[in-house]
Amino acid sequence: MKVLDSRARLELLSDRSMAYAVQHARVPLCITDPKLPDNPIVYANSSFFDLVGYTEDDVIGKNCRFLQGPDTAEESIAAVRLAIVERRVETVEILNYRKDGSSFLNALQIGPIYDDDGALLYYFGSQLDITAKRIQEQKARELADAELLHRLRNIVNVMTVVIRHTMREEYDAQTLGRIVSERLRALSDAHFSTIIQPEDQNLTFAELSKTILSAYAPLGPRQFRLDGPEVVLPRPLLSCLALGLHELATNSVKHGSLGEMDGSVELNWEVNASGTQLSMCWSERGGPAVVKPMRQSGSKIVLDLVTAVNGSIDFNWRETGLIVEAVFPL
């Protein structure tokens, strides 16, 4: 290990087992000496050199700022400086650079090291490359935002059909407003009550289906028929079926039978003799002539949801109405 002078030798190195543990720790670590000019690095372990790509000769004797670069945020630099001035342990996300010029987002934890009398000896700095984690989080946020935008657009489209169908019936202005408000509230409640479920709350397939179709069918229960045994849905399957039925109902309102005054949906389901499999059939009738869509955004979402729970699904784009058959493990 290289040091600047004897004064900079770390007391922990007098314990060989401790020194070995620090040297070979998987967490990148460096130690600086504030008693020397510019608070330089006096020790760094192997993991630190592996992370930054520099050698011991490159690092020892330099202030840690040499890891900063053109896109390192001033706010991060200021946070590091403040933690050092105030002699407190702090974690700062800071963009650092390796020897080859590549950058990484560093979850830097820094803090003071005192002797038994409370005198400041050193500062430690542990590094954690969280670049991949932040990229993954960003992708997850983008997917969530895209899904939210998709559902908001769907809700607007469904609301439009609900209002149009309601206005075709002969109501006075006050009654019309009340009915439209009730149907839109039901649509909103269906989203929250079926997609956002408490951990200890279970729904049967009948309850889930009725809640969703009652909200989406512009003309109410006369536009759908449900038939099947009582089956309580396990939590993972509940989320999948809720999102899937919302998607099927939305597409039916926008493009299928629920978008027509005389259109209807029939939803049947059954459980196999061993109780290990749920089968369902979604059947539309009375809607416009069905043409298999060129873009399969809605059906692709449903397919992905079903596949995620090890189920299977088949879309039959019959001219007289869409038929969807699916099987789920219980």
Side-chain angles (χ1 to χ4, degrees), residues 46-92:
S46 299
S47 295
F48 179 88
F49 299 126
D50 291 341
L51 173 64
V52 300
Y54 288 97
T55 66
E56 189 175 52
D57 289 336
D58 295 325
V59 169
I60 300 302
K62 290 185 178 179
N63 184 283
C64 292
R65 75 172 69 89
F66 80 96
L67 294 174
Q68 298 170 12
D71 292 325
T72 303
E74 288 296 331
E75 293 83 357
S76 299
I77 297 172
V80 172
R81 288 173 178 166
L82 183 61
I84 292 173
V85 169
E86 296 182 352
R87 299 187 179 184
R88 57 184 169 82
V89 177
E90 184 65 272
T91 300
V92 179

Side-chain angles (χ1 to χ4, degrees), residues 20 26 32 66 96 122 136 141 153 159 177 215 255 304:
Y20 183 88
R26 294 185 177 182
T32 67
F66 80 96
N96 283 156
Y122 305 101
Q136 185 179 19
R141 283 194 296 270
R153 286 172 175 167
M159 286 179 175
H255 310 295
D304 290 344

Side-chain angles (χ1 to χ4, degrees), residues 37 52 60 63 97 99 125 133 163 172 191 202 237 247 252 292 294 298 321:
V52 300
I60 300 302
N63 184 283
Y97 289 80
K99 187 173 183 178
K133 180 181 179 182
I163 294 172
D172 59 67
H191 272 265
N202 294 316
L237 190 56
E247 197 65 38
S252 182
K292 185 175 181 178
M294 298 296 293

Side-chain angles (χ1 to χ4, degrees), residues 293-313:
M294 298 296 293
R295 297 177 62 234
Q296 298 183 356
S297 57
S299 60
K300 179 65 166 58
I301 289 173
V302 176
L303 176 61
D304 290 344
L305 289 168
V306 173
T307 301
V309 294
N310 298 316
S312 62
I313 191 166

Side-chain angles (χ1 to χ4, degrees), residues 18-29:
M18 178 66 73
Y20 183 88
V22 172
Q23 174 64 24
H24 297 281
R26 294 185 177 182
V27 176
L29 175 70

Side-chain angles (χ1 to χ4, degrees), residues 19-328:
Y20 183 88
V22 172
Q23 174 64 24
H24 297 281
R26 294 185 177 182
V27 176
L29 175 70
C30 67
I31 296 178
T32 67
D33 188 345
K35 298 181 294 296
L36 295 174
D38 204 25
N39 191 18
I41 297 173
V42 294
Y43 173 81
N45 67 358
S46 299
S47 295
F48 179 88
F49 299 126
D50 291 341
L51 173 64
V52 300
Y54 288 97
T55 66
E56 189 175 52
D57 289 336
D58 295 325
V59 169
I60 300 302
K62 290 185 178 179
N63 184 283
C64 292
R65 75 172 69 89
F66 80 96
L67 294 174
Q68 298 170 12
D71 292 325
T72 303
E74 288 296 331
E75 293 83 357
S76 299
I77 297 172
V80 172
R81 288 173 178 166
L82 183 61
I84 292 173
V85 169
E86 296 182 352
R87 299 187 179 184
R88 57 184 169 82
V89 177
E90 184 65 272
T91 300
V92 179
E93 289 191 12
I94 185 168
L95 188 69
N96 283 156
Y97 289 80
R98 300 181 178 90
K99 187 173 183 178
D100 64 7
S102 61
S103 63
F104 65 98
L105 189 59
N106 183 10
L108 170 65
Q109 186 176 67
I110 55 177
I113 299 174
Y114 297 102
D115 64 16
D116 293 339
D117 297 324
L120 178 65
L121 292 177
Y122 305 101
Y123 282 99
F124 73 87
S126 67
Q127 291 76 27
L128 180 62
D129 184 356
I130 59 171
T131 308
K133 180 181 179 182
R134 288 294 178 260
I135 291 175
Q136 185 179 19
E137 290 174 350
Q138 178 62 28
K139 288 182 178 179
R141 283 194 296 270
E142 290 173 355
L143 287 174
D145 290 345
E147 176 65 13
L148 177 60
L149 181 60
H150 172 76
R151 296 202 172 278
L152 287 174
R153 286 172 175 167
N154 279 344
I155 290 174
V156 171
N157 288 328
V158 171
M159 286 179 175
T160 301
V161 176
V162 168
I163 294 172
R164 185 173 69 244
H165 277 25
T166 305
M167 291 183 67
R168 288 179 181 174
E169 302 181 37
E170 296 183 2
Y171 296 118
D172 59 67
Q174 185 174 358
T175 303
L176 177 65
R178 178 180 57 80
I179 292 174
V180 169
S181 294
E182 289 174 353
R183 289 178 179 171
L184 296 184
R185 187 178 301 110
L187 180 62
S188 172
D189 291 344
H191 272 265
F192 286 105
S193 65
T194 58
I195 292 178
I196 304 174
Q197 283 287 324
E199 288 293 334
D200 59 348
Q201 182 175 342
N202 294 316
L203 285 178
T204 66
F205 191 84
E207 292 169 334
L208 176 68
S209 305
K210 184 176 180 180
T211 299
I212 293 174
L213 282 169
S214 295
Y216 278 89
L219 302 180
R222 60 176 163 167
Q223 277 193 290
F224 63 88
R225 188 174 79 85
L226 307 176
D227 184 31
E230 181 171 339
V231 52
V232 176
L233 299 172
R235 183 74 190 182
L237 190 56
L238 172 60
S239 300
C240 166
L241 282 170
L243 291 166
L245 289 175
H246 275 289
E247 197 65 38
L248 289 174
T250 295
N251 288 335
S252 182
V253 172
K254 291 163 61 179
H255 310 295
S257 62
L258 291 182
E260 298 292 326
M261 296 291 288
D262 298 324
S264 63
V265 168
E266 184 172 318
L267 179 58
N268 302 311
W269 66 93
E270 61 183 14
V271 178
N272 65 352
S274 61
T276 59
Q277 183 173 281
L278 170 68
S279 302
M280 59 156 273
C281 179
W282 170 285
S283 181
E284 299 187 24
R285 63 187 64 182
V290 173
V291 178
K292 185 175 181 178
M294 298 296 293
R295 297 177 62 234
Q296 298 183 356
S297 57
S299 60
K300 179 65 166 58
I301 289 173
V302 176
L303 176 61
D304 290 344
L305 289 168
V306 173
T307 301
V309 294
N310 298 316
S312 62
I313 191 166
D314 178 65
F315 292 85
N316 188 341
W317 306 95
R318 291 186 184 179
E319 185 177 353
T320 55
L322 171 65
I323 295 179
V324 179
E325 296 178 304
V327 178
F328 305 89

